[in-house]
Amino acid sequence: MKLARYSNQDEVMQVLIVPVYVGVLNWLMLGNQYWRNGWVFLVATVLTLVAALLAWFINNAVGLYLNRRFPDIDQTLLRLSWLLGWCALVGWSYCLFLYGCYYLINSPNLPMQPGRLPLVLLFNLLVVLMVIVFYEGIRAFERWESALRKTEELKQANLQSQFDSLRSQINPHFLFNSLNTLSSLIEEDAGQAELFVEEMASVYRYLLRSNESQMATLADELAFAQSYFHLLSTRYGANIHLSQAVNEQYETCLLPPLTLQLLLENAVKHNVILPDQPLHISIRTADNDRLVVQNNLQRKSTRILSNQVGLSNIATQYRLLGGGEIRVEDDDQFFTVTLPLLRPL
């Protein structure tokens, strides 16, 4: 059974505080006889130590519950008040329990001194206050350290995202295919070639702007996806289809930039696109602020080497930005990615 931990420094605190607490408490309860008589020292120390550790673990569990029950900063005073009251009650019950045990042992070597009970209870309260102050200081430091670590992770993820975006901007394979398509269009259809250049410029303009913000609206992503898909459809013709069913109420929602481009690129990269095997891609919104991107599966016979940059990059950005988790489903008929849509603040 795993014992409750209130802090990563539990063991250190127990080693530093519990022995001193046990010694002083027994001295207050039993007087100098505690130090002079070996039998008294052994019995009282073992009994007090076991009871102290039990009380410590109980208080830890209650402290963890109160942290879950009152997690907000503005609830700190309320949480600490409950914690102090509970720990004081446990501590006083513990002291009365020890007095009762010494009374039941009924040995002249364990002299009862009821007059010292108020002093014992006051000492216990002071120890409880000290432990709570130490623990709250440690937890505050751990929270600050965790927040700092998450900030650094977000910075690193952002830098990695910018690098990945830059790499996709100058992807030589994509650029080579686009220029080949453009070269063919110039000879066959000058008007279509001009439109292709406009859409290609729109795609690269959006790619360059994507590094300026960590989030993009769904409306902007959909507009970019249409421009990007125009390049694909010019290359693959009627063999590739894109359908959209997006509720207008979600167009102002946010998601990481280039998300749709990465998903479209993955669909094209990993599937056969032929007249008798067209690729169908759909983008639709679902209830509970979700965007679903789906394509039919017709995997290429030659497995494409993939470093999973696309999906892992999207998942990392969602996780570190607090946007939730993406869901990826592959049932051998359809490949489906479900994305959370974030409401603007």
Side-chain angles (χ1 to χ4, degrees), residues 92 117-127:
W92 292 341
L117 183 57
L119 182 60
V120 169
L121 297 181
L122 177 61
F123 168 73
N124 184 83
L125 181 61
L126 292 176
V127 171

Side-chain angles (χ1 to χ4, degrees), residues 236-241 272-280 298:
Y236 294 103
N239 305 329
I240 187 170
H241 305 273
V272 172
I273 306 176
L274 295 171
D276 58 341
Q277 290 181 285
L279 180 65
H280 295 273
Q298 39 200 32

Side-chain angles (χ1 to χ4, degrees), residues 34-199:
Y34 173 70
W35 303 108
R36 293 174 181 171
N37 189 304
W39 180 84
V40 171
F41 179 85
L42 178 62
V43 172
T45 298
V46 171
L47 181 61
T48 310
L49 182 62
V50 171
L53 290 175
L54 179 62
W56 188 294
F57 293 129
I58 292 174
N59 289 338
N60 272 7
V62 172
L64 291 171
Y65 167 77
L66 291 174
N67 271 281
R68 293 191 298 270
R69 179 68 177 81
F70 308 109
D72 298 333
I73 294 178
D74 57 358
Q75 296 176 312
T76 299
L77 184 59
L78 178 62
R79 173 170 53 81
L80 292 181
S81 298
W82 275 101
L83 183 60
L84 176 60
W86 169 263
C87 291
L89 179 63
V90 169
W92 292 341
S93 301
Y94 159 80
C95 292
L96 294 174
F97 168 77
L98 291 178
Y99 264 110
C101 289
Y102 294 156
Y103 177 80
L104 291 175
I105 292 174
N106 192 24
S107 169
N109 292 322
L110 290 170
M112 297 300 298
Q113 301 186 45
R116 290 193 174 188
L117 183 57
L119 182 60
V120 169
L121 297 181
L122 177 61
F123 168 73
N124 184 83
L125 181 61
L126 292 176
V127 171
V128 166
L129 280 170
M130 180 186 68
V131 171
I132 289 177
V133 169
F134 281 174
Y135 260 129
E136 287 301 311
I138 291 173
R139 283 179 64 84
F141 177 79
E142 289 175 351
R143 286 193 294 267
W144 172 81
E145 195 176 41
S146 176
L148 183 63
R149 186 165 54 251
K150 287 182 180 179
T151 300
E152 289 301 317
E153 289 175 356
L154 181 59
K155 288 180 180 178
Q156 291 178 10
N158 187 44
L159 290 174
Q160 183 63 43
S161 175
Q162 291 184 16
F163 173 76
D164 293 336
S165 297
L166 181 60
R167 183 169 58 185
S168 68
Q169 291 168 24
I170 57 175
N171 187 321
H173 186 263
F174 171 71
L175 183 59
F176 177 77
N177 288 332
S178 297
L179 291 177
N180 271 347
T181 303
L182 178 60
S183 176
S184 300
L185 287 174
I186 290 174
E187 297 179 0
E188 299 173 3
D189 189 335
Q192 187 69 13
E194 184 178 352
L195 180 59
F196 184 88
V197 170
E198 291 177 0
E199 296 294 351

Side-chain angles (χ1 to χ4, degrees), residues 324-343:
E325 299 291 333
I326 70 172
R327 188 170 72 248
V328 179
E329 299 172 278
D330 181 346
D331 61 5
D332 290 329
Q333 290 186 325
F334 295 97
F335 185 81
T336 307
V337 179
T338 303
L339 308 163
L341 290 175
L342 310 179
R343 293 286 182 176

Side-chain angles (χ1 to χ4, degrees), residues 245-286:
V246 175
N247 193 315
E248 291 183 357
Q249 66 172 321
Y250 294 116
E251 289 186 351
T252 57
C253 291
L254 304 174
L255 66 166
L258 303 182
T259 296
L260 295 183
Q261 183 263 338
L262 289 171
L263 294 178
L264 291 174
E265 183 179 49
N266 276 354
V268 171
K269 181 179 180 181
H270 296 285
N271 290 279
V272 172
I273 306 176
L274 295 171
D276 58 341
Q277 290 181 285
L279 180 65
H280 295 273
I281 306 172
S282 68
I283 302 174
R284 65 181 186 275
T285 49

